[in-house]
């Protein structure tokens, strides 16, 4: 009968394989995602669109480029709406995330859902009822949206706008529109020496972003990762 060697004398192959897998897993956690042939990295972000947005010239007076439809400057807590590089609304005062729930920065975020009467199951009112998020325009994972809220109170990651501004954002923005959320202190040095695009203020097409109610309030998240309306609870 063949005797089995003690465990401490057995070949280390199994341990080597396990160690190798652990190293690969650690690398996957620390290695940045790169674009594949389709331009999408393993997080679903179109890196080609990000690169194009960052390389485009800035809209004069803002830290965002002409590829954007909506611009947010986290440094000054202001926001704008653009049309082909012309400012059509703004700057307006906003409030972004705080208390450990920062608003995500991005150069090519995309509107993927609109809901004029959304209520958050994450942010509750004192009576325990879902907090209203009127005129919600969702543009980032985690239910991050522009919506009506106090610009003097930090959010749970969303962008608070005064009600008239929130309504204007809702009416103007369309599914697929690019949103840029940036910090001027980072973007202005990056574009130093590059002339900004300066155009006369544009005019908002009052019908551009309007859709029928079934579309505006649908659960179509083709541009985001949320699976249903209840998951869109940025606050």
């Amino acid at each position: 009968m063949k005797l089995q060697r003690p465990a401490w004398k057995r070949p280390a192959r199994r341990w080597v394989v396990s160690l190798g897998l652990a190293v690969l897993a650690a690398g996957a956690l620390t290695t940045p995602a790169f674009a594949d042939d389709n331009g999408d990295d393993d997080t679903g972000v179109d890196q080609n669109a990000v690169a194009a947005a960052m390389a485009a010239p800035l809209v004069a007076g803002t830290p965002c480029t002409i590829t954007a439809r909506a611009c947010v400057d986290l440094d000054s807590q202001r926001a704008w709406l653009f049309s082909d590089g012309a400012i059509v609304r703004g700057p307006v005062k906003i409030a972004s995330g705080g208390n450990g729930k920062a608003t995500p920065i991005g150069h090519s975020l995309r509107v993927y859902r609109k809901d004029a009467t959304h209520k958050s199951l994450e942010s509750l009112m004192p009576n325990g009822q879902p907090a209203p998020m009127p005129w919600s325009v969702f543009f980032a994972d985690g239910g991050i949206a522009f919506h009506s809220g106090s610009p003097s109170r930090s959010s749970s990651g969303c962008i608070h706008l005064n009600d008239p501004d929130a309504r204007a954002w809702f009416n103007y923005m369309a599914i697929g529109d690019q949103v840029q959320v940036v910090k001027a202190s980072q973007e202005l040095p990056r574009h130093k020496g590059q002339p900004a695009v300066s155009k006369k203020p544009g005019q908002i097409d009052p019908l551009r972003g309007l859709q029928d109610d079934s579309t505006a309030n649908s659960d179509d998240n083709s541009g985001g990762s949320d699976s249903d309306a209840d998951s869109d609870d940025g606050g």
Side-chain angles (χ1 to χ4, degrees), residues 113-120 131-136 170 216-217:
R113 182 170 177 256
K114 297 168 63 178
D115 187 345
T117 59
H118 185 73
K119 293 184 179 181
S120 172
M133 291 171 53
W135 311 115
S136 288
F170 184 89
N217 294 282

Side-chain angles (χ1 to χ4, degrees), residues 4-5 10 12-13 20 25 46 79 87-88 111 117 123 126 147 149 158 183 188 191 215:
Q4 191 174 26
R5 281 179 286 183
R10 292 174 192 168
R13 183 182 305 166
D46 186 339
I87 296 172
V88 294
V111 173
T117 59
S123 300
H147 66 82
C158 289
K183 293 183 177 181
L188 298 182
H191 292 267
T215 303

Side-chain angles (χ1 to χ4, degrees), residues 112-220:
Y112 64 89
R113 182 170 177 256
K114 297 168 63 178
D115 187 345
T117 59
H118 185 73
K119 293 184 179 181
S120 172
L121 297 181
E122 180 180 288
S123 300
L124 302 179
M125 296 188 295
N127 62 4
Q129 294 299 309
M133 291 171 53
W135 311 115
S136 288
V137 178
F138 296 95
F139 62 87
D141 288 346
I144 304 301
F146 295 104
H147 66 82
S148 180
S150 173
S152 61
R153 178 177 59 84
S154 62
S155 72
S156 297
C158 289
I159 299 297
H160 285 177
L161 294 159
N162 281 315
D163 193 72
D165 294 322
R167 187 189 295 257
W169 252 252
F170 184 89
N171 288 339
Y172 182 70
M173 301 295 287
I175 304 300
D177 277 355
Q178 185 182 99
V179 176
Q180 292 185 11
V181 180
V182 299
K183 293 183 177 181
S185 58
Q186 297 174 351
E187 299 307 308
L188 298 182
R190 179 179 288 135
H191 292 267
K192 186 176 181 180
Q194 180 187 55
V197 172
S198 181
K199 293 185 177 181
K200 294 180 179 180
Q203 297 292 322
I204 289 183
D205 178 353
L207 299 178
R208 181 185 175 277
L210 295 180
Q211 303 176 57
D212 61 76
D213 292 341
S214 63
T215 303
N217 294 282
S218 71
D219 294 336
D220 178 9

